Amino acid sequence: MERLPPTTFGRSLRTLIRERFGTQARLAHELGVDASWITKVVRGSQEGLSYSSLQRILEAFSRPSDKDLLYEAWRESFAPSPTELAPSIWDGDERIYGYCGTVPELISAGKAIVAFRALQPIWSALQTRPARSEGALRVGHSLVDVANQLDRPSVSLEVAAKMREIALLKRELGWVATALGLESVSLRHLRPRRLAIAEGSFHRFGAYLQDWQPVSVEGRSRRTGLVRALSRDQLLVGLDAVQEGTREAEGLALRITNLESQLRDTPEGPELGLASEVLARTLVASGQLERAARALTTAARHTDSRANEVKVLICRAQLHIADGQLGEVEALLGKAAGFADEWTLIHHRHKIAEINRSLNARHSDRYILRRIRKE
């Protein structure tokens, strides 16, 4: 008995070859390829079939029904590469919006660079087209998210500022709020730090949210999410100031209380995980280690992305360092670094490197002290 090809695409292609060409060799001649390649495609012995290779095969089939059958079989059989399926400026809004919706998954799958390269030309084109402002704002938002993962805050800041300009011209108040939040986050990520400027930006963002009171259900939901994000980010910029030595840890108390109040009203899910990790990180810096451990446990239960998983690992390492339990720190940071490298989480990779440098300096200082005491 003849063995069937293992993939839907292989079976569909074999059937159409018999009906339209008779033999695989005739199809290979039609396409100008080696017959062994067609055999591999039919048998499914190759790891995948790229979109460009699919297009080449489709050229040999004149009937639209044949092309449709092969395309649907390809979709079922092979996971398409995000690079090959990225939209262009010429695609409709629905196609572009759909791609933007996949960006969190692309980041989580280690495809941040792929998404960044796909979104940049679309953003460059749409930002100059007033008739497609909604598309520009959606693409800009996704591009800022990707750029932040790649530790490109200057790009994020430029895009967010342009988004605010577009939103103001269109009187899209929800998008103005979103752009203000993205600008503030981008300022916090700049190196060297501009903490006073970032603090001022977050203050303006908060003032805008106080004035903006949308009446629609969608608008109120959007505002709630932005208010929660502001509580997290203001705590983080305060933590940055503590780490820079420009603020005492005790000064974070009010912002910690504010975030904890937000947490009580935050439903189970990704936002609860994000806020809990931020709270845990700040509590570690404040020396409140038991409270930090409880918050970190909550954060670990609600990680919804690779980036958040890496954040939890880093925070757990920081907790052990603060508690003087260094035995697991190297393993935790090593695991976090491996994930960050695999998933192209460059921003987090820099953070891990900073912690390792700090640990190495601490070990070096202890070694020098021991040498001095011996002498």
Side-chain angles (χ1 to χ4, degrees):
M1 179 181 295
E2 184 180 7
R3 184 165 55 179
L4 292 174
T7 66
T8 300
F9 184 82
R11 293 192 292 273
S12 299
L13 180 59
R14 186 183 66 166
T15 298
L16 287 178
I17 288 173
R18 287 177 174 176
E19 292 176 359
R20 310 294 180 230
F21 295 94
T23 66
Q24 293 177 18
R26 286 186 60 187
L27 173 62
H29 178 74
E30 178 74 17
L31 294 174
V33 300
D34 192 275
S36 63
W37 182 73
I38 297 295
T39 300
K40 289 180 180 179
V41 172
V42 170
R43 290 179 178 173
S45 55
Q46 79 291 348
E47 291 184 0
L49 184 71
S50 69
Y51 186 71
S52 59
S53 295
L54 170 68
Q55 293 300 311
R56 187 170 188 179
I57 292 172
L58 294 183
E59 290 174 1
F61 296 88
S62 58
R63 296 184 183 183
S65 58
D66 291 347
K67 294 178 184 291
D68 289 344
L69 175 65
L70 288 174
Y71 179 75
E72 292 302 323
W74 174 80
R75 288 189 60 186
E76 180 179 338
S77 302
F78 304 105
S81 161
T83 309
E84 294 164 336
L85 295 186
S88 74
I89 179 61
W90 308 112
D91 286 316
D93 288 342
E94 184 177 347
R95 172 92 169 84
I96 293 173
Y97 297 169
Y99 186 80
C100 288
T102 68
V103 165
E105 286 75 23
L106 293 176
I107 293 173
S108 189
K111 302 292 184 181
I113 292 176
V114 167
F116 184 79
R117 290 172 177 165
L119 291 168
Q120 269 194 313
I122 303 173
W123 162 252
S124 296
L126 290 183
Q127 66 171 303
T128 61
R129 301 190 180 193
R132 298 185 70 179
S133 59
E134 177 67 20
L137 291 166
R138 294 198 190 195
V139 170
H141 193 177
S142 294
L143 183 55
V144 168
D145 289 343
V146 172
N148 282 336
Q149 292 295 341
L150 296 174
D151 207 38
R152 301 284 297 275
S154 59
V155 174
S156 301
L157 191 58
E158 180 182 340
V159 173
K162 183 62 179 180
M163 286 175 61
R164 179 162 55 88
E165 179 184 321
I166 293 170
L168 284 168
L169 286 172
K170 289 293 183 177
R171 298 184 182 276
E172 293 282 355
L173 301 186
W175 275 113
V176 173
T178 297
L180 282 170
L182 293 175
E183 279 187 89
S184 301
V185 170
S186 301
L187 282 168
R188 190 179 72 80
H189 287 164
L190 279 177
R191 298 292 187 277
R193 292 187 186 275
R194 306 283 193 275
L195 294 182
I197 297 174
E199 284 270 24
S201 183
F202 279 117
H203 179 75
R204 290 189 295 275
F205 177 35
Y208 184 90
L209 289 177
Q210 280 189 326
D211 292 338
W212 179 49
Q213 298 294 330
V215 296
S216 69
V217 173
E218 180 183 354
R220 290 198 300 271
S221 175
R222 187 175 196 164
R223 183 182 181 279
T224 297
L226 291 172
V227 168
R228 288 172 178 161
L230 176 62
S231 295
R232 297 194 301 266
D233 289 321
Q234 282 190 315
L235 184 53
L236 285 173
V237 80
L239 177 59
D240 291 341
V242 170
Q243 293 172 338
E244 290 282 297
T246 58
R247 172 180 293 173
E248 296 297 326
E250 291 75 14
L252 296 176
L254 183 59
R255 295 184 182 187
I256 288 173
T257 300
N258 184 40
L259 183 58
E260 287 179 324
S261 176
Q262 291 278 356
L263 280 172
R264 286 192 284 272
D265 298 325
T266 302
E268 297 277 318
E271 281 203 5
L272 181 61
L274 279 172
S276 297
E277 187 276 329
V278 169
L279 178 61
R281 204 188 319 174
T282 312
L283 289 170
V284 168
S286 302
Q288 302 177 63
L289 304 187
E290 290 187 9
R291 291 174 65 192
R294 290 195 294 270
L296 192 57
T297 298
T298 302
R301 288 204 310 267
H302 296 283
T303 54
D304 70 321
S305 70
R306 304 300 192 191
N308 291 341
E309 188 175 345
V310 171
K311 286 180 183 179
V312 168
L313 285 169
I314 293 172
C315 188
R316 196 174 300 283
Q318 291 172 319
L319 177 62
H320 284 312
I321 293 169
D323 201 26
Q325 301 178 15
L326 302 182
E328 296 182 33
V329 170
E330 184 177 352
L332 286 168
L333 291 177
K335 184 176 181 181
F339 287 163
D341 289 339
E342 180 181 353
W343 300 319
T344 327
L345 302 173
I346 296 174
H347 175 74
H348 301 304
R349 192 64 180 85
H350 287 336
K351 179 64 176 177
I352 295 164
E354 288 176 3
I355 297 172
N356 278 323
R357 282 195 295 271
S358 176
L359 282 173
N360 290 336
R362 183 183 303 183
H363 291 322
S364 178
D365 289 345
R366 288 175 179 171
Y367 174 75
I368 293 171
L369 282 172
R370 285 198 300 268
R371 286 282 305 273
I372 292 172
R373 286 169 184 161
K374 287 180 179 178
E375 294 172 0

